[in-house]
Amino acid sequence: MSRPGRVLVVGPSCVGEMAWFLALGYRRLGWQVARVSDRAFIGRGLPGLVGKAVQLTERDHRLTSRSRKLGELVRERARGCDHVVTVKGEYFLPEDVAAINAVAPIVNWHPDHPVIAQNFACIPYYTAFCPKDSWSTARLRAMGHLNVSTLPHASDPLVLGSDRSAFATTGFSVVGTGYAYRQHWIDEARGVGLDVRLWGTSRTPRELRDRTQKAKAVGPDQGKALRSGFFTLNTHHPYDIAGGNQRVFDAAAAGAPQLTECLPETVRHFLPGEEIATFADRDEFVAQVKELSADAALRGRLSANSLERVRAEHTYEHRVQSILSML
């Protein structure tokens, strides 16, 4: 199984999406990659909020003919593949997973919060179900799901670090969708006197978009966005109890000094003070913002060390090797 063969990757196919990076990692290792874009298949043809509402209905209730046909499509595309990897797998029914697994081993790499939002009935039918953090793994295994193994997020320094020309001369960057918790820390940093470059998405609430860049930053542009401040502020959504979100790895891959919460899964992968800057409360946050703004040597050390950590342990090629070892 470790010798390159053919893999089917299921997930959003747009540049910069996790499934896109995963497919790229497989190709670099010599694998032939087939693709199914589940997001394009579900709710396709319906624009804007209407399409999003249909997509959520199909995900949560799995009632429509398209969601049923997705399982059939993946099963058919899996023929001739050594294995299948789906990112999140939120649109599958249990019988979909069982039918696919009868054709080829199937691994679900779940990048969000499976204990909070997951069709638990699907989990036993995967060859391996892989949350991004050990906190979720422990709880799913305690439920009796013994095919669960942790597969942390990863990133791609060859893509995110491909253009190192954009280094900041002022302020800090924030990349991602806006929400109230994130806005709180943005306001705290502004209160210290820093400007912010906020790179959001169409789902960023209107009141948070006063300084949002017009275009979503993906691929190399995401790396430039992360480096558009003295440091980048990476806050975890309140649902993300354990930490270790995608941005932890992306900022490191982009060579951007990073300030983030001191959460257990984050500090499992990156050393506080040497590879990332962390805070546990408001006083630590303000102190770190001031120190990062004033200390170029510290920023340089965090940038170099976190980038080296990603290159050594946290690329998508590393995760592909972990998947192969499970199989």
Side-chain angles (χ1 to χ4, degrees), residues 271-293:
L271 295 174
E274 292 298 321
E275 297 168 345
I276 57 174
T278 62
F279 66 94
D281 55 34
R282 182 185 179 278
D283 290 342
E284 283 190 4
F285 177 84
V286 171
Q288 291 281 28
V289 166
K290 291 179 178 178
E291 185 174 11
L292 286 166
S293 301

Side-chain angles (χ1 to χ4, degrees), residues 299-319:
R299 297 196 302 270
R301 184 172 75 248
L302 296 177
S303 172
N305 290 348
S306 61
L307 176 58
E308 183 57 33
R309 176 71 71 177
V310 168
R311 286 172 173 165
E313 299 180 12
H314 300 306
T315 66
Y316 283 94
E317 289 89 329
H318 288 112
R319 300 300 183 256

Side-chain angles (χ1 to χ4, degrees), residues 139-154:
R139 278 145 190 82
L140 292 175
R141 289 181 69 86
M143 293 173 69
H145 299 303
L146 302 183
N147 61 332
V148 175
S149 299
T150 305
L151 195 65
H153 274 299

Side-chain angles (χ1 to χ4, degrees), residues 20-92:
W20 181 87
F21 277 112
L22 179 62
L24 182 59
Y26 269 104
R27 290 191 185 102
R28 287 180 183 153
L29 292 172
W31 284 73
Q32 294 180 356
V33 180
R35 300 291 307 277
V36 170
S37 178
D38 57 355
R39 189 175 296 173
F41 192 84
I42 295 294
R44 61 184 176 180
L46 296 174
L49 294 176
V50 174
K52 184 65 177 178
V54 172
Q55 179 184 345
L56 292 175
T57 299
E58 292 175 328
R59 181 197 68 188
D60 294 341
H61 300 288
R62 298 169 173 83
L63 296 176
T64 71
S65 61
R66 284 195 302 275
S67 59
R68 290 191 294 270
K69 288 180 179 178
L70 174 62
E72 297 173 3
L73 175 64
V74 173
R75 181 179 60 191
E76 195 58 36
R77 295 278 178 87
R79 299 187 188 281
C81 292
D82 295 284
H83 61 282
V84 178
V85 182
T86 180
V87 175
K88 199 170 182 179
E90 58 188 327
Y91 303 113
F92 287 135

Side-chain angles (χ1 to χ4, degrees), residues 47-286:
L49 294 176
V50 174
K52 184 65 177 178
V54 172
Q55 179 184 345
L56 292 175
T57 299
E58 292 175 328
R59 181 197 68 188
D60 294 341
H61 300 288
R62 298 169 173 83
L63 296 176
T64 71
S65 61
R66 284 195 302 275
S67 59
R68 290 191 294 270
K69 288 180 179 178
L70 174 62
E72 297 173 3
L73 175 64
V74 173
R75 181 179 60 191
E76 195 58 36
R77 295 278 178 87
R79 299 187 188 281
C81 292
D82 295 284
H83 61 282
V84 178
V85 182
T86 180
V87 175
K88 199 170 182 179
E90 58 188 327
Y91 303 113
F92 287 135
L93 291 163
E95 54 265 33
D96 295 329
V97 182
I100 296 164
N101 208 353
V103 175
I106 178 170
V107 176
N108 188 342
W109 190 359
H110 202 285
D112 290 332
H113 322 292
V115 178
I116 297 172
Q118 173 59 39
N119 182 9
F120 294 115
C122 285
I123 295 178
Y125 297 100
Y126 286 100
T127 307
F129 184 92
C130 302
K132 71 178 180 65
D133 62 83
S134 54
W135 184 92
S136 296
T137 296
R139 278 145 190 82
L140 292 175
R141 289 181 69 86
M143 293 173 69
H145 299 303
L146 302 183
N147 61 332
V148 175
S149 299
T150 305
L151 195 65
H153 274 299
S155 195
D156 193 327
L158 294 177
V159 173
L160 273 71
S162 60
D163 180 358
R164 302 303 299 273
S165 62
F167 280 92
T169 58
T170 185
F172 67 105
S173 70
V174 179
V175 177
T177 302
Y179 49 88
Y181 175 80
R182 175 168 285 164
Q183 185 64 31
H184 169 83
W185 294 113
I186 291 172
D187 292 342
E188 289 288 345
R190 282 174 170 167
V192 177
L194 292 187
D195 193 16
V196 60
R197 291 183 62 80
L198 176 61
W199 301 78
T201 71
S202 60
R203 290 184 291 133
T204 301
R206 185 176 301 278
E207 64 272 18
L208 306 186
R209 277 192 273 157
D210 58 320
R211 302 190 186 188
T212 303
Q213 308 304 305
K214 292 183 179 179
K216 181 180 178 181
V218 298
D221 287 340
Q222 183 185 2
K224 289 189 286 185
L226 288 162
R227 294 190 301 272
S228 66
F230 277 146
F231 63 92
T232 189
L233 173 61
N234 170 31
T235 58
H236 290 67
H237 193 279
Y239 284 168
D240 200 344
I241 297 169
N245 67 2
Q246 181 66 61
R247 204 73 70 229
V248 170
F249 297 85
D250 285 344
Q258 174 177 184
L259 176 60
T260 188
E261 299 100 330
C262 187
L263 293 174
E265 211 67 22
T266 299
V267 300
R268 178 188 296 268
H269 302 301
F270 294 93
L271 295 174
E274 292 298 321
E275 297 168 345
I276 57 174
T278 62
F279 66 94
D281 55 34
R282 182 185 179 278
D283 290 342
E284 283 190 4
F285 177 84
V286 171

